[in-house]
Amino acid sequence: GECAVLLQDEMERMISECEEDCQAYQQALQRLERAQGSSPSREQPLAVREFEREMERCRKEEEEEEAKVADLERQLEDLERERAQLKSQAGDLDRSEADYWRRHNHLSFELEAFAEERAGLVSKIGVACAPLDA
């Protein structure tokens, strides 16, 4: 969960930086056009074409990074669901274990009581049979 948050923060920082770069390029282009005193013509300077290619590359990169973030968010949701299931299973297991030990202790107590009762009966039989053996 923490890794996904860190990755998302990094992606958002990178997107923000790209957007700032784009704004800086646009402002520089506007200053250049004002300095030339003309509106953009059909024949754009090479720098403008490069700028547009770079802008398109940045947009594609931004889309790819947003897709990665969305995928990581889906993975995070899946992991959170799995964690909730595991927590529920752990609770079930704890209850089963407590029930097992309760039954185990009860059976151990009964076994001890039966063993004592048997020992008492064996002793009584021994005492009752002693006169017959003599």
Side-chain angles (χ1 to χ4, degrees):
E2 186 176 3
C3 181
V5 170
L6 290 174
L7 183 59
Q8 183 178 1
D9 290 345
E10 179 66 18
M11 293 299 137
E12 288 173 356
R13 184 190 61 76
M14 290 173 65
I15 290 169
S16 177
E17 287 177 3
C18 280
E19 289 172 347
E20 289 172 4
D21 288 346
C22 290
Q23 288 175 353
Y25 286 137
Q26 288 173 344
Q27 290 171 356
L29 180 60
Q30 289 170 356
R31 283 192 304 270
L32 179 63
E33 288 173 354
R34 280 192 303 263
Q36 292 176 348
S38 64
S39 61
S41 63
R42 282 186 154 179
E43 286 291 321
Q44 295 179 340
L46 183 60
V48 173
R49 280 190 238 130
E50 288 178 14
F51 169 74
E52 289 175 352
R53 279 195 295 267
E54 183 66 18
M55 284 290 294
E56 185 60 29
R57 187 191 65 76
C58 286
R59 285 186 192 107
K60 287 179 182 176
E61 185 178 332
E62 179 182 11
E63 289 174 4
E64 291 170 0
E65 297 302 324
E66 286 175 349
K68 288 178 186 177
V69 168
D71 184 50
L72 288 172
E73 287 174 345
R74 282 190 296 277
Q75 289 178 15
L76 179 61
E77 290 171 1
D78 291 344
L79 290 172
E80 286 174 348
R81 275 193 297 277
E82 184 178 346
R83 188 178 111 202
Q85 289 173 345
L86 290 173
K87 187 175 181 179
S88 174
Q89 290 174 355
D92 293 344
L93 187 58
D94 287 343
R95 286 186 290 281
S96 295
E97 182 183 17
D99 185 52
Y100 166 81
W101 285 111
R102 182 189 53 76
R103 287 185 285 134
H104 172 77
N105 291 335
H106 178 72
L107 290 174
S108 295
F109 177 74
E110 284 184 344
L111 180 62
E112 188 177 323
F114 289 138
E116 288 176 9
E117 184 179 347
R118 180 178 178 268
L121 290 174
V122 167
S123 177
K124 285 182 182 180
I125 291 172
V127 169
C129 290
L132 298 175
D133 289 335

